[in-house]
Amino acid sequence: VRNEKEVAMKPTEYLYRALKLASCEWHLLGCAFTCLILATGSNLVTPVVSGHVFNAIKGENRDEFVYNMKIFIGLSVGSGIFGSLKSLCFRLVQRKLSFMLRNRLFEGVIRQDIAFYDASQTGDLISRMSWDCNAMLQPVSNLLGTTLQSILFFFGGLVFSFFISWRLSMLAFTTMLPIIHLTSKYAVFSQRLNREIFTFIGMANSVAQEAMANIRTVRAFSTEDHELDRYRQETREALHRGIRDALANAGTIFLSNMIDYGASILILFYGGLLVIYPKKDRHINIGMLYAYLRFWDMIQTSYQSLQGVMNSFTKAAGAAQRVLSLMDSLPDIDPNSGRLAEDDMPWSVEFRNVYFVYQMRPDFVVLKDINLKMEPSEVCALVGPSGCGKTTLVSLILRYYDPTDGKILVGGRELQDFNLKHLHKSIGYVSQETQMFAKTIEENIGYGLEGKYNQSDLVEACKAANAHDFIMSFPSGYQTRIGERGVRLSGGQKQRIAIARALVKNPQVLLLDEATSALDNKSEQVVQEALDRLLQTGKNRTTIVIAHRLSTIRTADVICYVKEGEVVERGSHRELMGLEGGHYRALVEEQELVGKDGGKEIESASLNSGRRSKARDPRMSLDSGRSEGSIGEQVEEKEKEGTGLEARIPLSRVIGMNRPDFGFLAAGVVFGSIAGAMYPLWGLLFSEMIVIFFKPVLKCEDVASSADTLTPALIPQELGGPYQSCQEYWESAGLKLWGVVVKTSYAWIALAVTSFLGSTGMFYGFGAASENLAYRVRNLMFSAYLRQEPGYFDLPENAVGSVSSKLASDATRLKAKTGEPLQQIVITAFGLTLGVVLSFIYMWPVALMALGVLPFLGFAMALQTSYMFEDGDPGRQGGGALGALVGESLTAMRSVAALSLEPSFVKRHDALMADSNSILSLLKKGLLYGASFALQMWTFALLLWFGGWCVANLDFAYKSFAVALLSFFFGLFGLSLAASGLTDSKEAVEALRNIFAVLDRETKIDPEAETGNTPGAEKVDGEIYLRKIQFAYPARPDVVVCKSLTLKVKAGQKVGLVGPSGSGKSTVIQLIERFYDPDVGNTIFDKKDVKKLNYRWLHNQMALVGQEPMLFQGTIFDNIALGYNNSKEASGDCTMERIVEAATLANAHDFIMDLPHGYDTELGQGGTLLSGGQKQRIAIARALIQKPKVLLLDEATSALDNKSEAVVQRTLDRLIAESKLTTVMIAHRLSTVRNMDVIVVVDEGKVVEAGSHDELMRLKGLYHALTKSSERRDGVGPR
């Protein structure tokens, strides 16, 4: 992508950009920071108060104990109040930040020019706007919650620890530098890996989006395995890097823990010396040492938290780089700059010495020194062979691109001087490939006026485009929803709506790129007459027409013949016909020859308007009762319906998904149990150290003190041992104390080594398992989507953009909720169990009290973590509707730009992103969050008080109190994160629901099924029989498309299907291909119901060329080879000889070899770098290389110029004759079906006429009437 930074983004830069985005909410941030400081200050004083409580219990000072407990409770209340206010403010900032980031990102993408989309892949862009955006925002939400608090705890703990003992602090902090160095090295390594992971996942999503958008082509050529292999290749690369990251993380944790434990041992050793051997200005008591250890633990915990956040920042920086580069990327063509066109400006268009080269093909010159001027009120027609540069000229007028050299002038001024959006308002454009949007018919037409229209103007435009009658035949009329990309309309119906969309603007410049190519003859005649009237009456309207049907441009003022990027002839029809040996004349004469040999350009039969007014659109999928809601609303409605019982995912199924990684999980559990058990043992050893520090050494004198001494000393004989001197007593007491210290030190070392091994094994085990799970889930989901029947993607909730978004994010969300949370659950489970056991052993009343308060403590922590980890991102709340909208806009950017729809889509995006949570709801959550903190501190205070009471009244030793209390609390380490893994599972449940929904769905037509008959090749005849078919599309069962339709095609027979747009012709092809099964009746192939035949075997016998050629990302060679992979003769890789043979038959070889890279030319997404005719010829070559028994042609030559059509048609005729192919051809040009064995006229889902051309002419019925009508309109000879 252009303008993206090559260097990796640093975490600090990412943090700066995130905070800069949030700075607009400075008042909320100021309030949140103030409350955060006050709440953190309350928590920072707690260790000091706790130390005084320990001293009071040891010294049995009741008054000091009660005083400090009151302070403790007061601090907890303050912490709760300020924590509530802090959480409310931070959550508001978080939601607004997410809203702002996603909206700015969408605006940044949709403002890009068309050259940007030529170089980008829609799936990758969708991945950036979903998965990458989620990855970028997650650390920001942690930043606004826990990170700033950790920073304050870190520096606050630092200040208090230096206040207690600067010597002890200097010794302890020498261990921090190696950890900082180690983690910084890992951060750089992890950032690089995660940046690569994001890239590979984006590429995988692009493959998935392309395959699902072209699912019918994938079905027709049985390329499911090929697409799945492409997807697995990308996700496998992501998996390898994820496992390397997990291993590096485990190694970093291993070394960091080793240093941490070394620091703890140093603190206890030197701190113990300061307690036992007090000196002036160095003395600390046991309460101070306890407080110091709490502060050191606070510093360590905060640093580990910050380390985790920095790791997440490092990983998020890779995603942020991909996100922010899109936001920062400035288009080469700014749509918002430039002057506005004057109302009275003459709209002439002039090309002056224009050269043009596509950025994706810089070594191929498309236009060469074009000099062409079109005056106002003039009609200019562009003709020439496919790929000569006609559509490129129109693209330059629309300023999709700027010329490489030369100038384009509008009204005498350079095109670059005008405001692009305002310019597009004055241009009406109808393209060869019609783009519709998932809205109503009225809204699609009204887009021409940016939604500002009145109903009467809209109806008049539809009548002029011959669209009003078929629109009114729908139950909801103009409010009928047409589905994603207009999938529920026929090609002709979409084209007429597109024409109406252009006409309603009453434009100053009208661009028609094969505007009537998809219309039947009667519709074309009516629309052409309307266009002619519009051209004659329009004031100052400049019109450029591209046409292969010369009958539509004979009356043009100027006709330009374009060849190889140059205008080689220019003049009126009469003038050009007078040029001896001219290109245009040769084209006309060739057309006339075709007319004499095969009939004039006769279009398919169309019933009269009275009969057509009763027709039902065969592709409409949404019932009228739901016509009021948008596709986004319908998607959201479906998502809400799925949040009930479906969300209850059995644990056994989740475990089953992890079964292949039980080895990694078992290692994670075993090592995690070891790591978890270390925490209560740490509390036990810490208690032993406290007892050592409190162990008294009595005052001794060799000679007894006098009676009046304030504190009389004991003589050696009175110390309970055979001591002869005080020195002997002191040495004995020192040796005993040293023995205990040495044993405790060895225990610390053993604990440290064991903890190192446990933590390392746990992190690697769970990390590798979660990476493998994400890889497996992604591939299972994509494979499951590929198994779904095409009708599945017709439903609004399964729009390709929505499905692609789920595929990109669900596996990642599941991984995030099963990796680290499982670690915390295991640590807490074993740590808490051992902590309770030790408490029972040393002081059972405290253990019972601890068990009693544990539910309250768990509830508080669960409440706290459910808030912290709650998905506060409104972008995710938008769900599939947001993904559908993004996918719809990005796949139709040419139409979006031409209609200046960027503001409209941004507005719809903003509406879906709107925050659904009220301030009251957030306030309630904030209060609960603050209360959870207070509840934890109250619980700790209760156990402190009860432990002191037991020591004073139940004769328990101080050591028992210390072990019971500290073992229990150290065992609670990680309970908050464990609670998030157990209770805060909204994201995981939603992801699992989406995953299992697609995995469990039984597709109605499974292409992977091994069942079904597979007759040998010698037994295949190619006979087709549709018997009494009644069919309605699954998404709209109340509209019957085929009504007892019966059609028989004998083996080797050539059958042409004709009829008005929307009559059901394409449905017949889809039933033969078994994209759908009929509701009533049978589709029979070679006397066997297709349901009883193996699905892939069936498609091996058939080849399909559709009206809209669907090509895939890759080279020309790769696209043609897809047909070979489905061939019965396929064995090994396809050879270049086979590719060249098929391309030559399709008249594609010559133009392919003219490209600089020949068959290795990259096509771009959807083949956008080729003209419509070139794409169609590659699609025909893809079908011909298969050498099928049945050839299905749905307007296969509609996008070809006359010369190419004649060559390809002769090739098809020869292929059909030589191989005895069974052929079913849909055509609007009756010249292509005149010589068929049988011509079948289809209307309203029924066969109304059938026979040869001569037989139908003798019937003098509908076919005869329309043939004569076409002959009168398309006369032979020059005019």
Side-chain angles (χ1 to χ4, degrees):
V1 178
R2 299 165 302 160
N3 301 331
E4 287 195 17
K5 300 177 183 178
E6 296 295 331
V7 296
M9 177 176 287
K10 297 180 179 179
T12 52
E13 182 183 358
Y14 156 70
L15 184 60
Y16 169 75
R17 290 293 303 273
L19 290 176
K20 186 177 179 181
L21 284 172
S23 62
C24 61
E25 302 295 334
W26 60 268
H27 54 291
L28 286 174
L29 285 174
C31 177
F33 283 135
T34 302
C35 294
L36 175 64
I37 292 172
L38 293 174
T40 306
S42 301
N43 291 320
L44 282 172
V45 179
T46 302
V48 177
V49 177
S50 301
H52 289 314
V53 170
F54 270 87
N55 283 333
I57 293 174
K58 180 63 180 176
E60 298 182 2
N61 189 330
R62 179 179 179 82
D63 293 336
E64 183 181 358
F65 175 77
V66 173
Y67 174 75
N68 283 284
M69 288 302 301
K70 289 179 180 179
I71 295 176
F72 196 99
I73 294 174
L75 290 173
S76 66
V77 173
S79 176
I81 293 173
F82 294 122
S84 299
L85 295 175
K86 175 208 72 173
S87 66
L88 172 63
C89 296
F90 274 144
R91 182 51 60 97
L92 286 172
V93 173
Q94 175 193 347
R95 290 181 177 275
K96 292 184 178 182
L97 175 62
S98 174
F99 186 90
M100 185 188 311
L101 176 66
R102 290 183 182 274
N103 286 341
R104 287 189 181 179
L105 175 59
F106 185 68
E107 291 177 13
V109 172
I110 207 169
R111 75 182 175 189
Q112 300 299 323
D113 53 45
I114 298 302
F116 171 89
Y117 292 96
D118 290 343
S120 305
Q121 299 181 23
T122 300
D124 182 54
L125 293 177
I126 293 175
S127 178
R128 294 192 190 201
M129 299 180 72
S130 58
W131 192 49
D132 289 358
C133 209
N134 293 342
M136 177 184 174
L137 283 170
Q138 186 60 49
V140 176
S141 64
N142 289 340
L143 167 71
L144 298 179
T146 59
T147 307
L148 294 176
Q149 182 173 287
S150 297
I151 292 174
L152 291 177
F153 275 136
F154 180 85
F155 288 103
L158 191 66
V159 170
F160 275 95
S161 61
F162 269 90
F163 178 78
I164 291 174
S165 174
W166 66 269
R167 292 181 175 83
L168 190 57
S169 298
M170 292 295 293
L171 177 65
F173 277 93
T174 57
T175 63
M176 293 293 292
L177 294 178
I179 295 178
I180 293 174
H181 176 74
L182 185 65
T183 53
S184 64
K185 290 294 184 182
Y186 167 72
V188 174
F189 178 74
S190 179
Q191 182 184 13
R192 179 176 62 81
L193 285 181
N194 280 274
R195 192 168 61 249
E196 294 175 2
I197 290 172
F198 289 134
T199 299
F200 283 115
I201 293 300
M203 294 297 294
N205 195 50
S206 181
V207 171
Q209 193 272 342
E210 184 179 53
M212 290 184 289
N214 302 327
I215 190 64
R216 286 171 175 80
T217 303
V218 171
R219 281 285 184 279
F221 291 95
S222 298
T223 61
E224 293 89 353
D225 290 342
H226 173 75
E227 297 301 323
L228 189 56
D229 287 342
R230 290 174 62 202
Y231 187 81
R232 282 175 177 162
Q233 182 178 353
E234 304 296 343
T235 55
R236 191 179 296 114
E237 294 294 334
L239 169 67
H240 292 161
R241 284 156 179 79
I243 291 179
R244 287 171 60 190
D245 188 35
L247 185 59
N249 185 38
T252 304
I253 295 297
F254 174 85
L255 296 175
S256 298
N257 282 351
M258 183 180 296
I259 298 172
D260 282 341
Y261 272 97
S264 298
I265 293 174
L266 281 175
I267 291 172
L268 288 171
F269 177 78
Y270 186 67
L273 292 178
L274 294 180
V275 172
I276 297 174
Y277 303 108
K279 292 184 179 180
K280 187 177 181 180
D281 77 0
R282 294 187 185 181
H283 174 66
I284 60 175
N285 58 40
I286 188 62
M288 295 172 66
L289 179 60
Y290 170 78
Y292 187 91
L293 286 170
R294 284 285 305 275
F295 284 124
W296 177 250
D297 180 64
M298 187 182 296
I299 293 171
Q300 278 189 312
T301 303
S302 300
Y303 180 76
Q304 289 174 358
S305 174
L306 291 173
Q307 177 185 339
V309 170
M310 286 305 297
N311 289 341
S312 65
F313 281 174
T314 300
K315 296 176 182 179
Q321 181 177 350
R322 288 163 50 84
V323 171
L324 295 175
S325 64
L326 284 179
M327 289 177 57
D328 298 340
S329 178
L330 297 176
D332 293 338
I333 301 174
D334 187 355
N336 299 311
S337 63
R339 61 184 297 170
L340 303 182
E342 296 87 351
D343 294 336
D344 58 349
M345 186 185 78
W347 285 85
S348 61
V349 178
E350 180 181 359
F351 289 81
R352 186 179 294 174
N353 306 118
V354 169
Y355 287 82
F356 180 71
V357 175
Y358 284 103
Q359 291 183 8
M360 294 294 291
R361 285 155 48 190
D363 48 359
F364 182 71
V365 181
V366 181
L367 299 179
K368 307 169 186 176
D369 196 22
I370 295 290
N371 286 280
L372 179 64
K373 187 171 184 179
M374 291 148 277
E375 299 291 347
S377 303
E378 189 175 72
V379 178
C380 177
L382 303 177
V383 298
S386 298
C388 66
K390 304 185 299 296
T391 299
T392 301
L393 287 170
V394 171
S395 297
L396 291 177
I397 295 173
L398 287 165
R399 210 186 167 202
Y400 287 166
Y401 312 93
D402 281 336
T404 307
D405 194 12
K407 298 179 180 179
I408 301 176
L409 306 177
V410 175
R413 299 186 180 93
E414 286 198 35
L415 182 63
Q416 288 89 336
D417 294 339
F418 291 99
N419 180 276
L420 188 57
K421 288 186 178 180
H422 190 264
L423 183 73
H424 284 162
K425 294 178 182 179
S426 302
I427 298 177
Y429 176 49
V430 183
S431 66
Q432 187 174 357
E433 297 179 359
T434 309
Q435 293 283 358
M436 294 285 114
F437 302 98
K439 304 289 281 183
T440 65
I441 293 177
E442 178 179 316
E443 288 170 313
N444 269 276
I445 299 172
Y447 274 147
L449 296 175
E450 296 184 323
K452 301 173 183 177
Y453 56 86
N454 58 64
Q455 187 72 23
S456 60
D457 291 340
L458 188 143
V459 172
E460 287 301 318
C462 290
K463 288 180 178 178
N466 196 25
H468 179 72
D469 289 343
F470 86 76
I471 293 173
M472 293 309 297
S473 70
F474 302 146
S476 300
Y478 283 87
Q479 301 306 315
T480 301
R481 296 199 164 270
I482 61 177
E484 187 179 21
R485 296 177 297 165
V487 70
R488 300 175 189 99
L489 295 180
S490 69
Q493 290 169 334
K494 289 192 289 185
Q495 195 78 311
R496 280 179 274 176
I497 290 176
I499 293 171
R501 184 166 62 193
L503 297 181
V504 77
K505 296 173 72 171
N506 193 20
Q508 298 297 321
V509 177
L510 185 60
L511 306 175
L512 304 175
D513 187 356
E514 291 285 349
T516 60
S517 62
L519 302 182
D520 57 78
N521 188 62
K522 182 175 181 180
S523 295
E524 180 188 4
Q525 182 177 354
V526 174
V527 170
Q528 194 61 48
E529 291 174 354
L531 291 176
D532 291 341
R533 288 196 307 271
L534 190 67
L535 300 180
Q536 295 169 6
T537 58
K539 294 181 179 180
N540 297 325
R541 178 176 293 115
T542 305
T543 304
I544 295 104
V545 181
I546 297 176
H548 287 145
R549 305 188 196 182
L550 301 186
S551 60
T552 62
I553 52 94
R554 289 175 186 250
T555 58
D557 299 309
V558 179
I559 299 174
C560 298
Y561 190 93
V562 184
K563 182 181 180 181
E564 296 180 355
E566 297 179 86
V567 177
V568 295
E569 292 177 4
R570 186 177 189 275
S572 66
H573 173 75
R574 186 179 299 276
E575 291 170 346
L576 294 180
M577 290 303 297
L579 294 177
E580 197 68 34
H583 296 285
Y584 179 78
R585 178 173 176 175
L587 194 64
V588 173
E589 290 173 349
E590 183 176 4
Q591 179 178 340
E592 292 173 356
L593 181 62
V594 172
K596 292 176 182 179
D597 293 340
K600 288 72 179 174
E601 289 198 4
I602 305 166
E603 299 298 333
S604 62
S606 177
L607 300 181
N608 60 59
S609 59
R611 294 179 61 186
R612 295 212 27 214
S613 65
K614 299 178 182 178
R616 298 291 190 196
D617 178 30
R619 302 188 183 191
M620 293 310 299
S621 301
L622 297 177
D623 57 67
S624 58
R626 297 186 59 180
S627 64
E628 296 302 321
S630 69
I631 184 172
E633 291 167 350
Q634 294 173 33
V635 171
E636 291 177 330
E637 181 180 337
K638 289 290 185 180
E639 290 174 343
K640 290 176 183 177
E641 291 172 0
T643 58
L645 294 176
E646 296 178 45
R648 300 174 185 172
I649 307 297
L651 182 60
S652 59
R653 294 210 61 186
V654 180
I655 294 174
M657 293 186 69
N658 287 277
R659 186 170 289 112
D661 297 312
F662 271 3
F664 286 117
L665 289 174
V669 170
V670 170
F671 285 106
S673 64
I674 295 173
M678 295 301 102
Y679 292 106
L681 292 177
W682 201 95
L684 173 64
L685 292 180
F686 181 50
S687 302
E688 291 284 355
M689 296 298 290
I690 290 177
V691 171
I692 292 173
F693 301 150
F694 273 123
K695 192 169 184 66
V697 177
L698 301 178
K699 183 178 181 181
C700 176
E701 291 184 0
D702 291 325
V703 179
S705 303
S706 61
D708 58 352
T709 303
L710 182 63
T711 307
L714 299 176
I715 61 175
Q717 291 77 12
E718 296 175 336
L719 294 174
Y723 303 120
Q724 301 301 320
S725 66
C726 288
Q727 183 66 34
E728 185 178 350
Y729 163 71
W730 289 331
E731 290 178 356
S732 175
L735 287 174
K736 291 180 181 179
L737 190 62
W738 178 252
V740 176
V741 169
V742 169
K743 290 180 181 179
T744 306
S745 299
Y746 284 140
W748 274 111
I749 294 173
L751 189 68
V753 173
T754 306
S755 179
F756 305 153
L757 297 176
S759 297
T760 304
M762 177 190 66
F763 274 96
Y764 179 70
F766 284 118
S770 63
E771 290 291 343
N772 284 325
L773 175 65
Y775 168 76
R776 192 163 51 252
V777 166
R778 283 194 184 99
N779 288 286
L780 285 173
M781 287 185 70
F782 183 51
S783 177
Y785 279 128
L786 287 181
R787 287 200 309 271
Q788 304 308 315
E789 72 280 0
Y792 172 83
F793 297 97
D794 292 342
L795 299 172
E797 64 268 23
N798 299 324
V800 172
S802 172
V803 170
S804 299
S805 179
K806 291 178 182 178
L807 185 62
S809 60
D810 284 343
T812 303
R813 292 160 66 188
L814 181 62
K815 181 184 77 170
K817 289 300 179 182
T818 55
E820 186 174 338
L822 279 178
Q823 299 172 18
Q824 300 300 332
I825 290 171
V826 170
I827 287 176
T828 304
F830 284 92
L832 187 58
T833 300
L834 184 58
V836 171
V837 169
L838 290 174
S839 296
F840 267 105
I841 292 174
Y842 283 89
M843 185 179 278
W844 61 266
V846 170
L848 288 176
M849 178 65 75
L851 286 178
V853 300
L854 185 61
F856 299 98
L857 191 61
F859 171 74
M861 290 186 173
L863 197 65
Q864 175 185 338
T865 53
S866 66
Y867 171 86
M868 292 165 53
F869 289 91
E870 180 191 23
D871 187 11
D873 185 356
R876 295 188 190 178
Q877 294 173 359
L882 198 62
L885 174 66
V886 172
E888 179 185 40
S889 59
L890 298 187
T891 54
M893 273 310 299
R894 279 174 167 76
S895 293
V896 171
L899 296 169
S900 298
L901 297 181
E902 296 90 344
S904 175
F905 273 97
V906 169
K907 185 177 180 180
R908 290 172 60 189
H909 186 273
D910 292 352
L912 288 174
M913 283 287 298
D915 190 358
S916 59
N917 285 326
S918 64
I919 299 296
L920 181 60
S921 173
L922 293 177
L923 179 60
K924 291 179 180 178
K925 293 179 180 179
L927 289 174
L928 291 174
Y929 176 71
S932 68
F933 269 111
L935 187 58
Q936 292 177 58
M937 297 182 71
W938 292 338
T939 303
F940 185 56
L942 176 63
L943 291 177
L944 274 177
W945 170 81
F946 186 66
W949 185 87
C950 290
V951 170
N953 298 281
L954 299 181
D955 295 329
F956 280 100
Y958 179 78
K959 175 182 178 180
S960 299
F961 161 73
V963 172
L965 191 66
L966 295 179
S967 296
F968 175 73
F969 273 105
F970 277 102
L972 287 177
F973 183 85
L975 178 61
S976 60
L977 291 176
S980 73
L982 289 173
T983 62
D984 180 52
S985 56
K986 293 179 182 178
E987 284 187 63
V989 167
E990 182 184 355
L992 284 170
R993 179 164 54 83
N994 293 336
I995 292 167
F996 287 128
V998 66
L999 295 183
D1000 294 345
R1001 185 181 186 273
E1002 294 185 7
T1003 178
K1004 297 177 181 178
I1005 304 172
D1006 189 357
E1008 304 289 336
E1010 300 293 336
T1011 57
N1013 297 326
T1014 55
E1018 67 281 354
K1019 298 180 181 179
V1020 179
D1021 297 321
E1023 180 182 290
I1024 300 170
Y1025 182 26
L1026 287 95
R1027 183 172 60 193
K1028 297 182 179 179
I1029 296 293
Q1030 186 156 330
F1031 175 73
Y1033 282 89
R1036 195 180 184 196
D1038 59 328
V1039 176
V1040 180
V1041 179
C1042 295
K1043 305 171 184 177
S1044 193
L1045 184 146
T1046 297
L1047 173 66
K1048 188 166 186 178
V1049 182
K1050 297 178 182 178
Q1053 193 175 41
K1054 299 179 292 180
V1055 174
L1057 294 180
V1058 298
S1061 299
S1063 61
K1065 303 184 299 297
S1066 293
T1067 302
V1068 170
I1069 294 291
Q1070 296 192 66
L1071 289 171
I1072 294 173
E1073 281 275 2
R1074 207 190 165 201
F1075 293 157
Y1076 303 91
D1077 284 332
D1079 301 321
V1080 178
N1082 307 93
T1083 304
I1084 298 171
F1085 183 81
D1086 279 354
K1087 299 182 173 56
K1088 296 182 180 66
D1089 194 312
V1090 293
K1091 295 179 182 178
K1092 297 180 180 179
L1093 295 173
N1094 181 271
Y1095 193 81
R1096 290 201 169 183
W1097 177 89
L1098 178 67
H1099 283 92
N1100 285 341
Q1101 318 309 316
M1102 299 179 181
L1104 171 67
V1105 181
Q1107 184 176 357
E1108 298 177 0
M1110 298 297 181
L1111 302 183
F1112 294 84
Q1113 185 86 15
T1115 65
I1116 293 176
F1117 182 98
D1118 296 334
N1119 273 272
I1120 298 177
L1122 289 177
Y1124 175 79
N1125 296 331
N1126 194 38
S1127 170
K1128 300 179 290 295
E1129 303 176 5
S1131 57
D1133 296 331
C1134 185
T1135 63
M1136 180 59 75
E1137 290 75 13
R1138 290 290 298 270
I1139 296 290
V1140 172
E1141 178 187 0
T1144 303
L1145 287 174
N1147 194 29
H1149 178 71
D1150 290 342
F1151 90 77
I1152 293 173
M1153 294 309 297
D1154 287 340
L1155 299 173
H1157 300 291
Y1159 286 90
D1160 292 327
T1161 300
E1162 290 285 343
L1163 297 183
Q1165 183 173 342
T1168 53
L1169 300 182
L1170 298 180
S1171 70
Q1174 290 171 332
K1175 289 194 289 185
Q1176 194 73 301
R1177 279 178 276 176
I1178 290 177
I1180 293 172
R1182 181 174 61 191
L1184 295 181
I1185 199 174
Q1186 187 177 338
K1187 295 185 177 180
K1189 287 289 185 179
V1190 177
L1191 187 61
L1192 305 174
L1193 305 171
D1194 187 355
E1195 291 284 352
T1197 60
S1198 62
L1200 303 182
D1201 57 84
N1202 282 3
K1203 183 177 180 180
S1204 298
E1205 179 190 2
V1207 174
V1208 172
Q1209 193 62 48
R1210 285 196 295 269
T1211 301
L1212 293 175
D1213 291 341
R1214 185 176 67 252
L1215 182 68
I1216 292 168
E1218 292 176 357
S1219 60
K1220 297 182 180 180
L1221 282 175
T1222 302
T1223 305
V1224 179
M1225 177 184 289
I1226 298 176
H1228 285 148
R1229 304 188 194 184
L1230 295 189
S1231 59
T1232 61
V1233 299
R1234 176 172 180 143
N1235 294 324
M1236 289 289 188
D1237 298 327
V1238 178
I1239 299 173
V1240 177
V1241 183
V1242 180
D1243 187 59
E1244 295 188 10
K1246 294 183 287 188
V1247 175
V1248 296
E1249 291 179 9
S1252 67
H1253 172 75
D1254 294 335
E1255 290 170 347
L1256 293 178
M1257 292 299 290
R1258 285 195 296 271
L1259 285 176
K1260 294 187 177 181
L1262 181 61
Y1263 184 82
H1264 174 272
L1266 289 171
T1267 300
K1268 292 300 182 183
S1269 173
S1270 180
E1271 288 176 349
R1272 286 192 297 271
R1273 186 172 64 86
D1274 293 332
V1276 179
R1279 298 179 182 180

